[in-house]
């Protein structure tokens, strides 16, 4: 055969293969799903709608094996490990209809390699870092047989008392959108059927972060305006990025709990957004409709949840218990049940579970905590740190420092370094601060004194701490919260350093050595006294497996800190809620007028504003240029500034753009983030940083809930935090 014939045959053959494949892609999944549904009993259908919890250690329970064998178990959470997953899966695959089980777990900031808590990671203002960590988390999770993570949490949180602020991207919607997208992309990639990808789940739909009093699970009352402007957009962004599942939340929203709310679950999610993936309830949030007193009993709870749009019930069993009876009396229709089953089977198809239901045990052995993953954890943790204060000459530390005293309850504490929701993170994998410093400065003498417990009030350890401090050249304080103080069911009514830690700080400062405070915490803290007492403060959040190494990188200046706060730090808990994008009020706070919106006992300004963070070098932002002074309402505008590193070291600055709609038909925030970029510059180097403002960033929901750009004046600021910046203005015309 000639070469030409070869080529022709090859072309014809591949065309035939492509045609066959695309025919397969177009028809079988849905046809197979319809066939399956047609052959399922009511019991089998209800089984698909049920998710049960295995043991926290990762094993399934005997009852779950029994259900799997009968083909009555749609999904389990917590069961993990290739062998365990495969054993249970085999039972399902040998059942009558051979529908695979979907294995789920909370892989929130890493599986075995633990990354910084999401709030910390968001302080990097580097969505690519979050995408990278989510991709690694997915790879490790996939290797132990998981196909679904309950992440990302995209709840906006304006109240640091709420412990779950640690699980999200903080207080701002624009930043939250960027991180929602990045995390979904990281978990799912382009093809969720690959063994190194998992289905993402944007949660908790919706408004959960607005719990009254910052108390977890509490009621929320959010106007539709604020819902559409603040709380919904990160969910929309996650779904637009491909998220195939959504979790309905625990909270009551404006009188209708979110796990039974047809407005959010059907009108918005399915109707406006055309979401065709799966909605899973939160843990027992369906049966909790009875506690909300919107359902008269479990059957009524099931009726309302499915009807509102919850496809799969997590852990409570109202669907499987009452479904048949609800169908019989017409409270559910078979079409409703079939639709929920269809969505779940479609998800399983998209995940490739029918073709590849089993995990590869060999992969499990080679994928977890690889050196590459550890390196990423270290880099991302270092990128997440925020330098809150640094008097000249303290940081970075010299590697020639002869002796370093680490003092405080978190100095050599592997468990708390990881934060909460640690997947299968293990304390033996963790580099503590003491270990990190020893490795980074082998010639230095590193000593440690705990001083006190995290929440304890005993001063017994203070004398030793002071003695250890006196004997050192420099003191690194390791203070803050325990991991258990943030996350779910970890709301706080106070925001200061817990226990007697501030007293320990004062005692150690009295020893007269240079002091650096490293903070570990899952939320903004009201730490004015600490900041006054010490010359340097590094916010390390809960930094994960490589925490101590990453902190050492920052303390010694191998990494110049460039993170920025993703949430406002208040002066006192009484200022809460305090967030940068608040409204103006009719009487904005004015220093010389008592009758303005402020406190008699404290300034209205925060301790540290949103977007704030220092560096070991210095930057200037100059020469704000706008591409036009007038644009049409459908037009766009470019804004640019010159950024220069004017200091002695290479470093990163996060350039931030804020806008204000000067007068509008509904009141608008004093300023809103509409652009940011983290830029690295060598000493002396400069770069122009440019942002594009489009109608999507200039508009808002008007009184009729239409998204509009209104003609009129706009202000714009470009700077390095939510306060100040270079100011410009432009006008939008019809
Ligand atoms: C939490 C969810 C989590 C679920 C499963 C619930 O208590 O609110 O965020 O995904 O448990 O563990």
């Amino acid at each position: 055969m000639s070469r030409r014939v070869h080529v022709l045959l090859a072309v014809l053959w591949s065309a035939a293969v492509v045609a066959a494949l695309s025919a397969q892609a177009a028809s079988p999944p849905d046809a197979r799903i319809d066939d399956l549904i047609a052959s399922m009993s009511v019991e089998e259908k209800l089984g698909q709608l049920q998710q049960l919890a295995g043991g926290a250690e990762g094993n399934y329970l005997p009852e779950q094996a029994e259900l799997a064998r009968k083909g009555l178990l749609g999904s389990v959470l917590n069961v993990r490990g290739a062998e365990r997953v495969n054993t249970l899966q085999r039972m399902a695959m040998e059942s009558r209809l051979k529908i695979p089980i979907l294995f789920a777990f909370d892989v929130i900031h890493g599986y075995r390699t633990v990354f910084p808590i999401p709030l910390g990671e968001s302080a990097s203002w580097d969505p690519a870092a979050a995408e990278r960590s989510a991709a690694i988390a997915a790879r490790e999770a996939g290797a132990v047989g998981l196909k679904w993570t309950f992440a990302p949490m995209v709840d906006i949180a304006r109240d640091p008392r709420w412990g779950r602020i640690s699980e999200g991207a903080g207080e701002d919607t624009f930043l939250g959108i960027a991180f929602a997208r990045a995390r979904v992309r990281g978990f799912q990639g382009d093809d969720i059927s690959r063994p190194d990808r998992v289905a993402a789940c944007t949660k908790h739909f919706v408004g959960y972060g607005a719990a009254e009093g910052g108390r977890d699970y509490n009621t929320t009352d959010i106007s539709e305006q604020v819902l559409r402007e603040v709380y919904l957009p990160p969910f929309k962004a996650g779904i637009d990025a491909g998220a195939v599942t959504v979790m309905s939340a625990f909270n009551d929203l404006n009188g209708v709990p979110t796990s039974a709310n047809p407005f959010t679950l059907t009108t918005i999610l399915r109707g406006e957004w055309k979401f065709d993936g799966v909605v899973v309830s939160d843990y027992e949030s369906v049966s909790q409709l009875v506690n909300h007193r919107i359902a008269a009993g479990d059957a009524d709870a099931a009726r309302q949840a499915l009807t509102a749009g919850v496809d799969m019930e997590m852990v409570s069993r109202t669907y499987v218990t009452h479904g048949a009876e609800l169908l019989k009396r017409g409270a559910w229709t078979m079409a409703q049940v079939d639709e929920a089953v269809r969505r779940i089977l479609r998800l399983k198809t998209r995940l490739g579970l029918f073709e590849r239901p089993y995990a590869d045990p060999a992969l499990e052995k080679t994928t977890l905590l690889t050196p590459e993953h550890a390196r990423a954890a270290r880099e991302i943790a270092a990128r997440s740190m925020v330098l809150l204060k640094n008097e000249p000459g303290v940081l970075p530390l010299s590697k020639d420092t002869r002796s370093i005293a680490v003092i405080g309850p978190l100095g050599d504490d592997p468990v708390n370094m990881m934060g909460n929701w640690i997947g299968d993170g293990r304390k033996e994998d963790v580099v503590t601060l003491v270990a990190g410093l020893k490795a980074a400065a082998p010639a230095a003498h590193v000593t440690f004194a705990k001083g006190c417990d995290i929440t304890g009030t005993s001063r017994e350890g203070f004398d030793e701490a002071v003695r250890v401090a006196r004997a050192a050249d420099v003191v690194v304080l390791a203070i803050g919260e325990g991991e258990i103080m943030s996350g779910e069911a970890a709301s706080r009514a106070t925001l200061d350093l817990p226990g007697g830690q501030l007293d320990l700080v004062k005692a150690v400062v009295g020893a007269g050595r240079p002091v650096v405070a490293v903070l570990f915490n899952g939320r903004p803290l009201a730490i004015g006294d600490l900041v006054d007492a010490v010359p340097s403060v590094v916010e390390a959040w809960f930094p994960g497996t490589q925490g101590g190494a990453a902190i050492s990188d920052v303390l010694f200046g191998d990494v110049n800190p460039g993170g920025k706060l993703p949430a406002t730090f208040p002066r006192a808990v009484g200022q809460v809620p305090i967030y940068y994008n608040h409204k103006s009020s009719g009487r904005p706070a004015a220093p010389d007028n008592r009758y303005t919106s402020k406190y008699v006992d404290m300034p209205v300004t925060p301790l540290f504003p949103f977007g704030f963070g220092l560096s070991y070098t210095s930057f200037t932002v100059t020469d704000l240029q706008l591409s036009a002074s007038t644009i049409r309402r459908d037009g766009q505008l470019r804004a640019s500034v010159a950024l220069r590193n004017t200091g002695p070291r290479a470093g990163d600055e996060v350039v931030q753009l804020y806008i204000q709609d000067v007068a509008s038909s509904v009141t608008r925030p004093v300023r809103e983030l509409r652009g940011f970029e983290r830029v690295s510059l060598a000493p002396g180097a400069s770069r122009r940083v440019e942002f594009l403002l489009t109608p999507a960033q200039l508009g808002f929901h008007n009184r009729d809930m239409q998204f509009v750009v209104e003609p009129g004046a706009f202000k714009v600021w470009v700077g390095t935090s939510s306060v100040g910046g270079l100011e410009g203005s432009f006008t939008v015309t019809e």
Side-chain angles (χ1 to χ4, degrees), residues 194-211:
R194 283 174 38 161
D196 61 348
R197 297 297 188 181
V198 294
C201 182
T202 53
K203 71 184 188 185
H204 306 82
F205 198 65
V206 55
Y208 181 43

Side-chain angles (χ1 to χ4, degrees), residues 127-162:
E131 185 171 341
R132 185 177 173 208
S133 81
I136 291 172
R139 190 181 306 149
E140 293 192 351
V144 298
L146 295 165
K147 263 332 262 180
W148 189 11
T149 177
F150 298 129
M153 187 191 98
V154 301
D155 294 310
I156 297 301
R158 292 170 155 183
D159 190 333
R161 293 172 298 183
W162 190 53

